[in-house]
Amino acid sequence: QVQLVESGGGLVQAGGSLRLSCAASGRTSRSSAMGWFRQAPGKEREFVAAISWTGGSTSYADSAKGRFTISRDNAKNTVYLDMNSLKLEDTAVYYCAADPKLVVLVTTTQARFWGQGTQVTVSS
């Protein structure tokens, strides 16, 4: 099984940058596609970015494309989300997720495993 622990959330000013980290552990952690989702109050959970287990394929939501970068360091068993040019509308709880199939992360808002989430608040 896979366990996920996020870190790096916090307060940041609009236009600033923030790096989220997700440490994965468990039997299939090195062979799982990983992704980031977010949920703002009163809104549905939405896909942000995902990466294949090898890092060879990535996918981004339109809202993240060009501003966010997902990467992974398999030696550390950690996935990152580098967020740049942050906007007020990026404020949400960000969840790390893992699934055996990248397509599941990209095409649905579901995953096999979820972290507890980390709050990102963008201020003006």
Side-chain angles (χ1 to χ4, degrees):
Q1 305 300 304
V2 176
Q3 298 181 105
L4 308 173
V5 180
E6 303 102 330
S7 62
L11 299 171
V12 63
Q13 289 190 323
S17 300
L18 198 65
R19 164 173 271 199
L20 304 184
S21 299
C22 175
S25 63
R27 182 176 179 179
T28 62
S29 61
R30 289 186 176 272
S31 60
S32 295
M34 304 290 293
W36 290 94
F37 296 78
R38 67 187 184 187
Q39 187 168 24
K43 296 185 177 181
E44 301 290 335
R45 182 175 61 217
E46 65 175 334
F47 168 77
V48 177
I51 188 169
S52 63
W53 79 276
T54 63
S57 297
T58 59
S59 184
Y60 297 91
D62 289 341
S63 61
K65 189 72 174 181
R67 297 190 300 125
F68 295 1
T69 301
I70 188 169
S71 62
R72 67 191 304 166
D73 183 343
N74 287 339
K76 298 181 179 179
N77 215 19
T78 300
V79 175
Y80 305 97
L81 183 68
D82 291 301
M83 304 184 291
N84 300 308
S85 302
L86 283 162
K87 305 174 181 179
L88 294 178
E89 52 263 41
D90 293 319
T91 295
V93 176
Y94 283 71
Y95 296 93
C96 179
D99 196 273
K101 300 295 183 182
L102 177 65
V103 66
V104 172
L105 300 176
V106 174
T107 62
T108 76
T109 56
Q110 300 180 33
R112 185 73 61 85
F113 304 102
W114 294 91
Q116 295 300 306
T118 185
Q119 177 72 47
V120 172
T121 302
V122 183
S123 65
S124 61

